Amino acid sequence: MTGFGRFCVFIILEIAAGACFSRPVYASDIVWRFNNTHVEKRPESGARKLFADRIYELTAGDLQVKVFHGDSLGVAKADILRALRIGAIEMSTLFPAYLGRDDQTLPNVLNAGVIFNVDEEIAILPVLMDIYREIYDSWNIEVVGWQLTTPWQLSVLCNDPVDTLKELQDKKLRVYHKGLVNIFRKLGVAAQLIPAGEFYLAMQTGVVDCGVHSVALAHTLSLQEVADYASKVSILTGLTAIGVNKDVWNSLPDNLKAAVKLAGDELLEQSVAEALTKPKILEARYAGEYAESKELIVLDPFPETDLAAFYTAAVEHWEEEAMVIGGKANSYRLRVVNALDAWRRDHASAR
């Protein structure tokens, strides 16, 4: 869809939202559109559909949440904060990396590459939630649930066997996060931000030679068809909020609010439990299947010296970005850093 097309859809949604607010809403008449930024085949999407179904169950059908996968509502990822603020959509997933155009502090609260393992991320969840709630509140958004990003093992997928930074320096690399462009640049690697939906074509046409993605999720984009080798370099981190327009939320009866919050709590609990087991199981499963079919060969991970260099570059970028953004960005960063340092001291987990 062109930018003009997205603009038209956005305006239509805004008008529709205004129409909804112009008449009384009764409990048996409440239907929310839930904008899910992931495609339906992603495991996270299945959990979100169960979350919506759970709300319907807990409210005895008084509140129906209809899930629209993969931006099918016509709202671009970069427009989600604005769409929620005005009520053009009632509910959406909020993944900070997608929202930096309108609020630069969001992607910098927890920068890519600065977390060693899932245990650390789980330990700092209360701090992350407090910060994100504060930011989303300023956008007229009520957070009703959380989903810990599954800590997928992130690999560099290439047509050639690349498993060192030196080899990667000769390649054009696709990344999913703006911050990774600068992090890899510090390491002498030319990276560019390309949406997941365009990754396959970029590899197929030679726009990029390699890309960062999960082996366990390669099949969701059919990446095994355009890449032959993979080597682990990091883990995916992040905390997705489920946000609702505050005007929509405030119009909801208290009993229905309680049901939504309960479903949101269950979503978080489930995502944390899965984070501790699911990635390793699926990574091993798909690596084995690809090895058998010879579609994608999983190499040894990048060497420890390269991983340490990647972490150092990520930390430097995190602080530099906070200083450029200004406002509360650095105070948010320091709150996360302090929480991480405290956990690492207690568990002696730092590199």
Side-chain angles (χ1 to χ4, degrees):
M1 184 181 290
T2 65
F4 178 74
R6 285 196 299 269
F7 176 77
C8 290
V9 171
F10 187 78
I11 292 300
I12 291 170
L13 287 171
E14 182 175 354
I15 293 171
C20 289
F21 293 143
S22 66
R23 62 184 179 83
V25 177
Y26 300 100
S28 60
D29 192 35
I30 302 176
V31 179
W32 286 357
R33 294 157 298 170
F34 181 10
N35 178 59
N36 173 32
T37 48
H38 280 139
V39 296
E40 190 170 4
K41 288 198 293 185
R42 283 284 291 256
E44 296 91 339
S45 296
R48 291 164 191 171
K49 179 63 168 61
L50 291 174
F51 162 73
D53 292 344
R54 182 65 170 143
I55 291 174
Y56 189 81
E57 176 188 354
L58 289 169
T59 63
D62 286 343
L63 173 57
Q64 181 180 6
V65 176
K66 293 186 176 181
V67 185
F68 293 82
H69 301 286
D71 306 324
S72 57
L73 272 174
V75 179
K77 291 179 176 64
D79 293 328
I80 290 173
L81 290 177
R82 300 184 188 194
L84 272 180
R85 180 170 62 183
I86 63 174
I89 50 177
E90 291 82 21
M91 174 184 277
S92 181
T93 53
L94 297 166
F95 185 56
Y98 298 153
L99 309 173
R101 185 200 65 190
D102 285 341
D103 199 315
Q104 293 181 324
T105 59
L106 276 167
N108 202 61
V109 171
L110 181 65
N111 216 297
V114 301
I115 293 286
F116 296 156
N117 55 60
V118 65
D119 293 324
E120 291 187 343
E121 189 169 16
I122 291 172
I124 65 170
L125 282 180
V127 175
L128 293 177
M129 290 176 184
D130 285 346
I131 294 171
Y132 287 136
R133 280 194 194 95
E134 181 179 329
I135 298 172
Y136 293 134
D137 185 71
S138 70
W139 282 91
N140 195 38
I141 296 170
E142 179 78 19
V143 176
V144 299
W146 302 94
Q147 186 178 28
L148 182 65
T149 299
T150 307
W152 303 110
Q153 306 296 305
L154 292 179
S155 295
V156 173
L157 280 65
C158 299
N159 282 322
D160 299 320
V162 173
D163 58 5
T164 68
L165 285 174
K166 182 174 177 58
E167 292 167 333
L168 194 57
Q169 288 169 352
D170 296 327
K171 306 294 184 181
K172 295 173 291 185
L173 178 69
R174 173 266 176 184
V175 295
Y176 64 92
H177 187 291
K178 180 182 176 183
L180 288 171
V181 174
N182 294 326
I183 292 168
F184 276 108
R185 184 180 297 131
K186 288 176 176 288
L187 300 169
V189 178
Q192 56 183 302
L193 182 63
I194 296 177
E198 300 172 21
F199 186 8
Y200 182 101
L201 185 61
M203 285 284 288
Q204 186 181 52
T205 58
V207 172
V208 293
D209 306 304
C210 305
V212 176
H213 205 267
S214 164
V215 168
L217 296 179
H219 68 284
T220 66
L221 299 175
S222 301
L223 297 177
Q224 73 277 11
E225 297 177 3
V226 292
D228 297 321
Y229 299 92
S231 177
K232 178 180 175 292
V233 70
S234 183
I235 68 167
L236 181 65
T237 57
L239 181 61
T240 296
I242 309 299
V244 176
N245 169 273
K246 276 189 177 290
D247 300 314
V248 170
W249 177 252
N250 290 335
S251 70
L252 204 63
D254 287 344
N255 64 316
L256 300 190
K257 286 181 180 178
V260 174
K261 290 280 191 173
L262 176 56
D265 290 342
E266 292 174 352
L267 177 65
L268 175 62
E269 183 178 352
Q270 176 197 10
S271 69
V272 169
E274 289 187 349
L276 294 169
T277 57
K278 190 173 186 177
K280 292 180 180 179
I281 293 172
L282 288 184
E283 188 82 13
R285 169 189 161 188
Y286 281 101
E289 290 182 2
Y290 291 140
E292 185 176 345
S293 66
K294 298 182 179 179
E295 291 179 293
L296 185 65
I297 305 302
V298 178
L299 307 169
D300 289 336
F302 276 58
E304 284 295 320
T305 52
D306 285 358
L307 297 179
F310 179 82
Y311 172 74
T312 299
V315 171
E316 289 177 357
H317 168 74
W318 194 13
E319 183 172 5
E320 290 167 0
E321 282 292 290
M323 295 305 181
V324 171
I325 294 167
K328 294 185 176 181
N330 197 47
S331 66
Y332 289 150
R333 182 188 69 86
L334 289 173
R335 284 165 64 180
V336 177
V337 167
N338 290 338
L340 274 173
D341 286 347
W343 193 90
R344 287 169 178 168
R345 283 194 303 270
D346 291 342
H347 295 79
S349 63
R351 290 184 184 275

